[in-house]
Amino acid sequence: MHQVSLSAIPGLPDIQPGDDLAKIIGDVLETHGVQDGDILCIAHKIVSKSEGDVIKLADVTPSEEAQDYAQQLNKDPAKVEVVLQQSNRVVRAFKRPAQNEGTMICEHRLGFISANAAVDESNSDEGTVITLPKDPDASARRLGHALEERFGLRIGIVITDTFGRPWRLGQVNVAIGLHRVPAKTSDIGGTDAWGRDLSVTEPALSDELAAASGLVIAKAAKTPLVLCRGVNWTTDEETTARKILRASSEDMFR
Amino acid sequence: MHQVSLSAIPGLPDIQPGDDLAKIIGDVLETHGVQDGDILCIAHKIVSKSEGDVIKLADVTPSEEAQDYAQQLNKDPAKVEVVLQQSNRVVRAFKRPAQNEGTMICEHRLGFISANAAVDESNSDEGTVITLPKDPDASARRLGHALEERFGLRIGIVITDTFGRPWRLGQVNVAIGLHRVPAKTSDIGGTDAWGRDLSVTEPALSDELAAASGLVIAKAAKTPLVLCRGVNWTTDEETTARKILRASSEDMFR
C-alpha cells in the first residue's frame, strides 16, 4: 500500500534577515529525523525573511502610476508601488463594492500570476511587507545542497506561496521554488489501468506537494516547514518552478 | 506534532454501472481499517461508473454546433456533442498548431470550469466517455451516510476530478462533491503568529485534500480511493463543492 505522510516540523525560531536558514532548518530536522527521499515544503516567507526581502513601506516613494492605482483601489500607495516593482505587468485590477480594498492580479517578474504580485503583509512586522525571494529556485537549491551535504541524503525542496485561483474561491499553496523535485511529472505515452492512452496527463507534482503541505501548515502557529515522506518521485536535476508556468502565447486567460 | 497520512486503499474491483459503491468501498475499508474523522478522497470516475454516467458515442447524434466545433478543433463530433450537453457554455475554444486535437474550456452545468466539461475518455471502455456524476454532492452524501452507518464513525468524503489550470501547466485534483468536509475554511478575523490580521486567508481545504490525494493515486494502478487521516477539520453539515465556485459576477477570468 502506498502511503505518504505530511508532518509539520515544530521548533523553528522567528527568522530574521541574515539568518542561516539551512543551519536552522537542519537543526530542527536533526531533532525530528530525516530520511533519504524526504521532501521539505517551506513557506517562502521564512526564505524571504532570511534573505532580507522585507520592505519598509516608509522607505518607498510611490510613482504616479502607483498613486493612480491606490486611489482607484483604495490601497496604500507605497504597497502598490512595491507590487508594481515586483511585476512585469498588471493583468487585472478591480475593486468590487463589497471590498474595502481592491485587488491587483499581477504577473510577477518571475512569471507567476497572483494577487498583488505575492507581496504579503501578514507574517511581517507592522509597516513592512514581504516579497518573494529574488530567485526562489536558487534559494531552494542552496538550501537543498546544504541539507543534503549535512545529512548525506537526497532531499527535495518545494518553496511555496499561497495563491488564489480564478473560478474557485479560497487559496491553495503552490510551488514557487524547487530543488530536485520535478515541477510536473508525465504520464504521456503511458496507458491507464484499462489500457487506454493517458495522452495528456501530467500531474503537477510540485503543486500537489505544496497544496498538501497546507493540510498541516497552521499560519497561526508558525509552522512554515512540512516534511513529506513516502512520495514516489524521481530527481530532476534541471528542475525549476518556472517550468510549470504556461507560456503566455499558450495561455487563454491573460 | 501535527501529522497527516495519505493512503491509497487497494483492492477495489472494476466498478460497473449499478454496482453498490458504498458496499464495495465499505468492504475494502473494513480490510484496511477506518477511524473516526478519516476523510476519503474518491476519484469521480468510479462514482460516475457506478451511477451509469457512461455514454456510448455511437448513440450520440451531434448537433450542428457540435459539428462546427468538431471541424474547427479536429475533435470527434459525438464527443463534442456530449461536452456541449454537459455545459452551460463554452468559455474558450482553441486549437494551437502543435495540438492534434483542440481544447474546449467549458463551464459545466454544475458550475465547474474545466477542459471539455470534465468529459473523460481515459479509464473508460473504447467508444465510451465518462461524465461527472449528475449531482456529485448528493453522491458524496449518500456514500458518506452509508459508510458512517456501517462503521458508526464520522467520515468525510471528497469526490475529485483532475483539472488543468490557467497560467500553470500540469493538472491537480480538485473537489467536485463533498460530504461533511467544508469546501474552504476561514482564518478571517484571526491573527497570525505575529499578531497581524489574517484578513483574507481562506484555505481551500477540500481542494488541498483533493490535490494531496494525487500524491498517492496512481492512474495506471487503479487506486481511485485515498484515505486521509489526521486532518484537523470541523464538520460542515451544509457543505457542497459548489460553495467553492466563484460567482460569475466576481470572476475576472471568464
Side-chain angles (χ1 to χ4, degrees):
Chain A
M1 185 195 63
H2 185 199
Q3 183 167 317
V4 165
S5 69
L6 311 162
S7 307
I9 309 289
L12 270 193
D14 273 12
I15 302 300
Q16 304 297 335
D19 277 353
D20 183 348
L21 192 60
K23 166 83 169 64
I24 293 170
I25 290 177
D27 290 348
V28 293
L29 275 185
E30 196 157 293
T31 303
H32 179 271
V34 58
Q35 294 179 7
D36 194 66
D38 281 352
I39 296 171
L40 286 177
C41 292
I42 306 174
H44 86 82
K45 288 181 195 78
I46 61 170
V47 180
S48 297
K49 281 185 175 178
S50 74
E51 297 181 1
D53 295 315
V54 178
I55 296 175
K56 266 180 126 161
L57 292 172
D59 295 344
V60 175
T61 308
S63 63
E64 203 169 310
E65 189 187 9
Q67 293 180 35
D68 287 350
Y69 274 118
Q71 188 170 17
Q72 178 193 334
L73 304 172
N74 192 34
K75 289 175 92 75
D76 177 342
K79 272 193 274 179
V80 173
E81 177 60 31
V82 177
V83 169
L84 292 175
Q85 286 177 9
Q86 291 285 314
S87 301
N88 288 334
R89 63 194 192 85
V90 179
V91 179
R92 300 278 193 285
F94 53 91
K95 180 181 173 304
R96 287 188 286 271
Q99 288 180 303
N100 173 44
E101 193 178 310
T103 305
M104 301 169 75
I105 309 289
C106 299
E107 184 184 302
H108 189 278
R109 57 181 176 67
L110 293 168
F112 306 112
I113 296 182
S114 70
N116 302 321
V119 174
D120 196 336
E121 298 168 73
S122 67
N123 292 320
S124 66
D125 295 326
E126 201 71 37
T128 66
V129 291
I130 302 177
T131 64
L132 291 190
K134 285 169 197 74
D135 183 346
D137 287 311
S139 304
R141 277 194 301 274
R142 211 157 42 231
L143 286 169
H145 286 140
L147 293 168
E148 289 183 327
E149 193 171 330
R150 174 165 175 176
F151 294 105
L153 301 168
R154 178 180 71 132
I155 297 173
I157 306 277
V158 180
I159 298 179
T160 69
D161 194 13
T162 304
F163 278 19
R165 302 88 52 85
W167 311 330
R168 298 176 77 83
L169 297 169
Q171 295 97 36
V172 293
N173 289 346
V174 299
I176 60 145
L178 294 173
H179 168 69
R180 297 213 194 277
V181 177
K184 57 188 172 68
T185 54
S186 182
D187 290 337
I188 288 178
T191 53
D192 68 18
W194 285 257
R196 301 282 292 269
D197 288 349
L198 290 174
S199 51
V200 290
T201 308
E202 297 190 287
L205 176 65
S206 61
D207 283 340
E208 289 178 338
L209 286 160
S213 74
L215 293 172
V216 292
I217 281 186
K219 284 219 177 191
K222 293 191 194 182
T223 50
L225 190 60
V226 174
L227 189 140
C228 307
R229 181 166 292 168
V231 178
N232 279 337
W233 65 290
T234 308
T235 291
D236 176 0
E237 300 296 347
E238 312 284 306
T239 193
T240 67
R242 300 185 70 161
K243 282 189 182 168
I244 211 163
L245 296 176
R246 205 177 279 282
S248 188
S249 59
E250 298 193 354
D251 197 318
M252 298 291 136
F253 297 96
R254 74 175 101 183
Chain B
M1 186 195 61
H2 184 197
Q3 182 168 316
V4 166
S5 69
L6 311 162
S7 307
I9 308 289
L12 269 194
D14 273 11
I15 302 300
Q16 304 297 334
D19 278 353
D20 183 348
L21 193 59
K23 166 84 169 63
I24 293 170
I25 291 176
D27 289 348
V28 295
L29 275 185
E30 196 157 294
T31 304
H32 178 271
V34 58
Q35 294 178 6
D36 194 66
D38 282 352
I39 297 171
L40 285 177
C41 291
I42 305 174
H44 85 81
K45 289 182 196 77
I46 62 170
V47 180
S48 297
K49 281 185 174 179
S50 74
E51 296 181 0
D53 294 315
V54 178
I55 296 174
K56 267 180 126 161
L57 292 173
D59 295 344
V60 175
T61 307
S63 63
E64 204 169 311
E65 188 186 9
Q67 292 180 36
D68 287 349
Y69 274 118
Q71 188 169 19
Q72 179 195 334
L73 304 172
N74 192 34
K75 290 175 91 75
D76 176 342
K79 270 194 276 180
V80 174
E81 178 61 30
V82 177
V83 169
L84 293 175
Q85 287 178 9
Q86 292 285 312
S87 301
N88 287 335
R89 64 193 192 88
V90 179
V91 179
R92 299 279 193 283
F94 53 91
K95 180 183 172 304
R96 286 188 286 271
Q99 287 181 305
N100 172 46
E101 195 177 307
T103 305
M104 301 170 76
I105 309 289
C106 298
E107 183 184 302
H108 189 279
R109 57 182 176 69
L110 293 168
F112 306 112
I113 296 182
S114 71
N116 303 319
V119 174
D120 196 334
E121 299 168 72
S122 68
N123 292 319
S124 67
D125 295 326
E126 201 69 37
T128 67
V129 291
I130 301 176
T131 63
L132 291 190
K134 284 168 198 75
D135 184 345
D137 286 312
S139 304
R141 278 194 301 272
R142 212 158 39 232
L143 286 168
H145 285 141
L147 293 169
E148 289 183 326
E149 193 170 331
R150 175 165 174 177
F151 294 105
L153 302 168
R154 178 181 71 132
I155 297 174
I157 306 276
V158 180
I159 298 179
T160 68
D161 194 13
T162 305
F163 278 20
R165 301 88 52 87
W167 312 329
R168 297 176 77 84
L169 298 169
Q171 294 96 38
V172 292
N173 289 347
V174 299
I176 61 146
L178 293 173
H179 168 69
R180 296 211 194 279
V181 178
K184 57 187 171 66
T185 54
S186 182
D187 291 336
I188 288 178
T191 53
D192 68 18
W194 285 258
R196 302 282 294 269
D197 286 349
L198 291 173
S199 51
V200 290
T201 307
E202 297 190 287
L205 176 65
S206 62
D207 283 341
E208 289 178 339
L209 286 160
S213 74
L215 293 172
V216 292
I217 281 187
K219 283 218 176 190
K222 293 190 193 183
T223 50
L225 190 59
V226 173
L227 189 140
C228 307
R229 182 166 293 168
V231 178
N232 280 337
W233 65 289
T234 308
T235 291
D236 175 0
E237 301 295 348
E238 311 283 306
T239 192
T240 67
R242 302 185 69 162
K243 283 188 183 169
I244 211 164
L245 296 176
R246 205 178 278 282
S248 187
S249 59
E250 298 194 353
D251 197 319
M252 297 292 136
F253 298 97
R254 74 177 99 181

